[in-house]
Amino acid sequence: MPTDQPTLEVQPIAAYSDNYIWLLFDPQTRRAFVVDPGDAQPVLTTLETLDLDLAGVLITHHHFDHVGGLETLREKYSPQVYGPDNPAISGIDHVLAAGDVITVLGLEFQILEVPGHTLDHIAYFHPAQIPLLFCGDTLFAGGCGRVFEGTPAMMHESLQILAALPPATRVYCAHEYTMANLGFARAVEPDNEALRQRIAEAEATRGRNEPTVPSDLALELATNPFLRCAETALQDSLAEQGKLEGRGGSEVFAAVRAWKDNF
Ligand SMILES: [Zn+2]
């Protein structure tokens, strides 16, 4: 029941040059989960500073900057580790698939399969109260992950799954790529007023050296070109650039993704 649910704190732990390892913890019990610990050291430092015990780890996909700290964290804390069905990731205790529901510090999370960036990519969605989404490298603030292992059609379909979540969903992605993403978005949709406002706000945020994430899905739907493939203005912009192959959703997505890859 919503009234019985704990209030969790969620905060980013910076890692490498632009990764965010998300930390969730219950301020009462001091139990914590982390999402995609690519590097153990900043996680260990944060857990010690905040006096937290690591109860669990959520993994979204197999890339090293998302799993590189797993072994060290397992040795020190023996957390329960949740992740996708991929034998290349060692140390997963609970293999997850679409439709599974897990409990994280008293909150239920649904598992979504969102292949494209990698074939094993999953996302974690908590639907109640303020909905929370941990989406790794699938959806970014203002952008989306590169299509390394899947196809553009597959990635488009995965993003459509995320786009259909409640607009109030807080989107916790794994990188601070926002300014570069928004610079590209402006090239695609120069007349998008919501985008213009978002860029001004993000510039101010980065000017204070603060994270631009989490964002929320309503803002992504209004400004992220990878979620706006059905918009005529966006399609016309692609056409003006000679990049439009067709107006089907996955065709438009493929054209936007290819443009960004060379931007
Ligand atoms: Zn990745």
Side-chain angles (χ1 to χ4, degrees):
M1 291 292 101
T3 49
D4 296 332
Q5 288 186 345
T7 303
L8 301 187
E9 304 259 344
V10 186
Q11 43 178 271
I13 301 172
Y16 298 111
S17 57
D18 51 34
N19 280 72
Y20 290 126
I21 299 166
W22 289 104
L23 169 72
L24 299 84
F25 68 94
D26 184 328
Q28 303 299 320
T29 65
R30 310 311 292 175
R31 296 174 79 239
F33 266 63
V34 289
V35 185
D36 286 354
D39 188 4
Q41 196 51 54
V43 176
L44 293 171
T45 303
T46 305
L47 293 172
E48 280 162 27
T49 303
L50 297 177
D51 188 27
L52 299 172
D53 181 41
L54 186 65
V57 175
L58 307 180
I59 300 292
T60 63
H61 68 295
H62 68 87
H63 283 160
F64 183 76
D65 63 321
H66 297 252
V67 301
L70 196 46
E71 196 179 333
T72 302
L73 293 173
R74 278 169 58 87
E75 282 166 13
K76 169 121 194 195
Y77 288 98
S78 305
Q80 293 295 303
V81 180
Y82 299 80
D85 183 9
N86 183 349
I89 310 171
S90 62
I92 291 183
D93 303 302
H94 306 277
V95 171
L96 302 173
D100 286 348
V101 176
I102 62 171
T103 303
V104 175
L105 304 172
L107 294 191
E108 284 194 347
F109 278 79
Q110 301 169 357
I111 308 310
L112 310 171
E113 287 182 4
V114 285
H117 174 71
T118 61
L119 292 177
D120 65 349
H121 208 303
I122 59 174
Y124 297 84
F125 174 65
H126 168 64
Q129 294 172 309
I130 298 169
L132 310 174
L133 174 69
F134 294 95
C135 53
D137 288 354
T138 296
L139 177 63
F140 289 131
C144 75
R146 280 180 183 254
V147 182
F148 286 126
E149 296 179 4
T151 63
M154 190 185 281
M155 187 70 165
H156 178 247
E157 194 173 319
S158 293
L159 289 170
Q160 292 295 104
I161 291 171
L162 302 184
L165 297 175
T169 301
R170 285 191 186 156
V171 178
Y172 295 85
C173 64
H175 288 274
E176 180 62 63
Y177 289 160
T178 312
M179 292 315 301
N181 285 338
L182 295 179
F184 171 70
R186 178 166 50 193
V188 179
E189 286 194 286
D191 299 326
N192 182 331
E193 183 52 35
L195 176 61
R196 201 189 313 266
Q197 277 182 32
R198 184 179 189 181
I199 290 170
E201 284 164 22
E203 278 173 348
T205 302
R206 294 308 291 154
R208 296 190 300 271
N209 208 22
E210 291 171 4
T212 58
V213 290
S215 65
D216 64 60
L217 193 57
L219 183 61
E220 298 305 329
L221 291 169
T223 58
N224 186 327
F226 297 99
L227 300 186
R228 296 172 57 75
C229 296
E231 296 289 323
T232 307
L234 181 145
Q235 295 173 8
D236 290 347
S237 173
L238 286 171
E240 277 169 32
Q241 301 283 330
K243 298 178 187 296
L244 191 70
E245 304 276 328
R247 290 180 186 264
S250 66
E251 288 172 303
V252 175
F253 173 82
V256 177
R257 189 59 257 179
W259 186 359
K260 174 71 165 68
D261 289 344
N262 297 295
F263 187 72

